[in-house]
Amino acid sequence: MEQNNKITLAEAYNKSEYPILGNGKWNVQMLKEALEHVDGTMAGDRYGTGKVIEDFERKMADMLGKESAVFFPSGTMAQQIAMRIWSDEKDSKIVAYHPLSHLEIHEEDGLKELHHLEPVLLGEAHRLIRLQDVKQLGRDVACLLLELPQREIGGQLPEFEELVEISAYCREQGIRLHLDGARLFETTPYYGKSAAEICALFDSVYVSFYKGIGGIAGAILAGPEKFTTVSKVWKRRHGGDLIGLYPYILSSDYYFNKRIDRMAEYYNRAKELASLFNQCSGVRTVPQVPVTNMFHLHFHMSASDLAPILIDVYTQTGVGLISFLREVHDQECKTEISLGDRYGEVPQDRLYQAIQLLQENMLK
């Protein structure tokens, strides 16, 4: 144990024989694999035009059931632009979203500093936005952003029927509804709906290609033709119109094709893993039964006490369970679990051994 304490939890996880999270190592091989069978004479896109980008945008527009789509280098850029467009349409600077929205906690106030918009933080941080919260919004709100799933509270989802009600209310009130669908495709098994059926409730939608899809980078912003046309202008203003985005487009398309049909598999594995963890004393998942391939894992122990226990488990079993811990308070810490290809590569007996050893060591 003393020797194990000399390395960090992240280092021990990355050195483990069977790390269980995500889709694989974050390295150059990802790009090499994606480009392996691409014709080297294929022309790249040029400042947002060309067959390679236009074909992918059309493919994603059809997948999402929207009139048009635009490829962006990042979701941060895409979503700030979406909020700006809907704000300008209504001539109102007020937009609304969850207190733990990516725009609020991970973007250095970009929406406020770059676009001078005024966010309303709707609902409470520990729970989903509900219909009754939405009904408190004034008609001067230009756009409501909903994140599906809500990452910062364990990937929770509202029931589809409530989404339908929220959508109808927003349309009655003249409030645009935007979907932060960074992990949209991961929600389809739980809802039993296609991506297009979910997106039909929203005026615009953003999806990511490096979350569950496991690509390198890139995002799609989709909506009406008029909306996406204006978004291209804003993309140029933001510096997002790189001379060529084709490495991101080709890798996004490759990993989309590779993994889009595996979302139910990842979801079922998350439920299986959560059930195993919930059998351990001092461990709980949020939500108790996952609704996507992700959930949060809470431990009734400080991160400083738990980390060496986990490192020892990795050393003895070869199974890497988690890569980081965040303190909740001095007697509780948490982490995020997101499953992809890797989990299916772990021998089940090794996994059971790792969780059993974790439990034994936590109880000592």
Side-chain angles (χ1 to χ4, degrees):
M1 186 75 76
E2 182 179 348
Q3 183 178 2
N4 289 340
N5 282 333
K6 294 179 181 179
I7 67 172
T8 68
L9 181 61
E11 289 170 339
Y13 173 83
N14 289 328
K15 289 180 179 179
S16 65
E17 185 179 2
Y18 295 107
I20 71 170
L21 305 176
N23 289 303
K25 291 184 177 180
W26 185 260
N27 57 24
V28 176
Q29 183 58 38
M30 292 172 58
L31 183 58
K32 291 179 69 175
E33 179 184 333
L35 299 182
E36 184 178 4
H37 302 294
V38 175
D39 181 357
T41 66
M42 176 188 291
D45 63 304
R46 190 173 180 85
Y47 293 119
T49 62
K51 180 175 174 58
V52 66
I53 189 169
E54 291 165 4
D55 284 356
F56 187 65
E57 288 173 340
R58 182 70 263 154
K59 175 179 177 177
M60 288 299 109
D62 292 343
M63 171 65 63
L64 301 172
K66 294 302 180 187
E67 190 176 9
S68 180
V70 179
F71 189 87
F72 279 80
S74 78
T76 296
M77 184 186 299
Q79 296 211 103
Q80 289 184 22
I81 287 171
M83 296 295 98
R84 177 60 186 266
I85 294 171
W86 294 134
S87 173
D88 285 349
E89 178 192 67
K90 194 166 185 176
D91 194 22
S92 169
K93 294 187 177 297
I94 302 175
V95 296
Y97 46 65
H98 191 273
L100 298 182
S101 168
H102 194 281
L103 285 82
E104 185 65 20
I105 66 175
H106 291 305
E107 299 182 12
E108 302 292 345
D109 286 338
L111 195 70
K112 305 167 193 174
E113 296 295 329
L114 297 178
H115 295 284
H116 308 292
L117 298 186
E118 302 170 11
V120 171
L121 303 183
L122 192 61
E124 301 173 35
H126 67 278
R127 63 169 176 83
L128 295 165
I129 291 174
R130 316 305 312 207
L131 177 61
Q132 56 265 33
D133 300 316
V134 178
K135 288 185 175 181
Q136 296 175 16
L137 291 174
R139 294 181 65 90
D140 55 346
V141 172
C143 182
L144 167 62
L145 177 150
L146 293 182
E147 180 184 357
L148 303 179
Q150 193 76 48
R151 177 195 178 186
E152 298 291 340
I153 55 172
Q156 296 183 51
L157 287 170
E159 292 304 314
F160 193 77
E161 293 73 18
E162 186 167 23
L163 277 180
V164 172
E165 293 175 337
I166 290 173
S167 176
Y169 180 82
C170 286
R171 287 175 179 167
E172 289 170 4
Q173 299 299 312
I175 299 171
R176 292 293 190 176
L177 189 59
H178 172 78
L179 171 57
D180 178 343
R183 297 166 176 80
L184 167 65
F185 300 118
E186 292 91 312
T187 71
T188 56
Y190 177 76
Y191 281 139
K193 306 286 185 182
S194 68
E197 288 174 311
I198 298 169
C199 291
L201 303 177
F202 295 83
D203 296 291
S204 56
V205 55
Y206 139 73
V207 295
S208 169
F209 292 101
Y210 77 88
K211 304 286 193 311
I213 295 299
I216 295 170
I220 277 286
L221 183 63
E225 184 78 41
K226 181 180 178 181
F227 168 86
T228 56
T229 297
V230 177
S231 79
K232 291 180 181 180
V233 176
W234 277 109
K235 184 169 76 160
R236 175 62 62 91
R237 290 168 176 165
H238 271 251
D241 240 351
L242 308 187
I243 187 172
L245 287 166
Y246 64 90
Y248 304 110
I249 296 164
L250 292 172
S251 63
S252 295
D253 192 34
Y254 173 80
Y255 287 110
F256 176 84
N257 293 335
K258 180 177 181 178
R259 298 193 172 111
I260 189 61
D261 292 330
R262 301 190 68 184
M263 294 301 162
E265 175 186 335
Y266 303 154
Y267 167 50
N268 289 328
R269 287 173 172 173
K271 290 190 290 184
E272 171 189 280
L273 182 61
S275 176
L276 292 174
F277 276 122
N278 280 320
Q279 293 172 33
C280 297
S281 177
V283 183
R284 64 183 175 90
T285 67
V286 177
Q288 183 177 14
V289 179
V291 291
T292 68
N293 66 322
M294 73 170 296
F295 57 89
H296 284 187
L297 194 57
H298 289 246
F299 299 89
H300 188 60
M301 182 177 285
S302 69
S304 59
D305 289 338
L306 181 60
I309 291 175
L310 286 164
I311 293 171
D312 190 53
V313 169
Y314 302 173
T315 302
Q316 292 194 49
T317 68
V319 176
L321 296 173
I322 58 178
S323 61
F324 70 91
L325 292 168
R326 291 178 184 157
E327 295 280 7
V328 177
H329 51 71
D330 59 359
Q331 287 299 314
E332 184 176 353
C333 61
K334 69 177 182 178
T335 191
E336 180 178 287
I337 299 290
S338 183
L339 300 187
D341 293 349
R342 273 180 160 177
Y343 183 78
E345 299 166 359
V346 183
Q348 289 293 289
D349 59 337
R350 290 272 200 106
L351 176 65
Y352 298 151
Q353 180 189 5
I355 294 179
Q356 181 179 356
L357 184 58
L358 170 64
Q359 174 71 127
E360 291 173 356
N361 290 347
M362 286 182 65
L363 292 174
K364 286 182 179 178

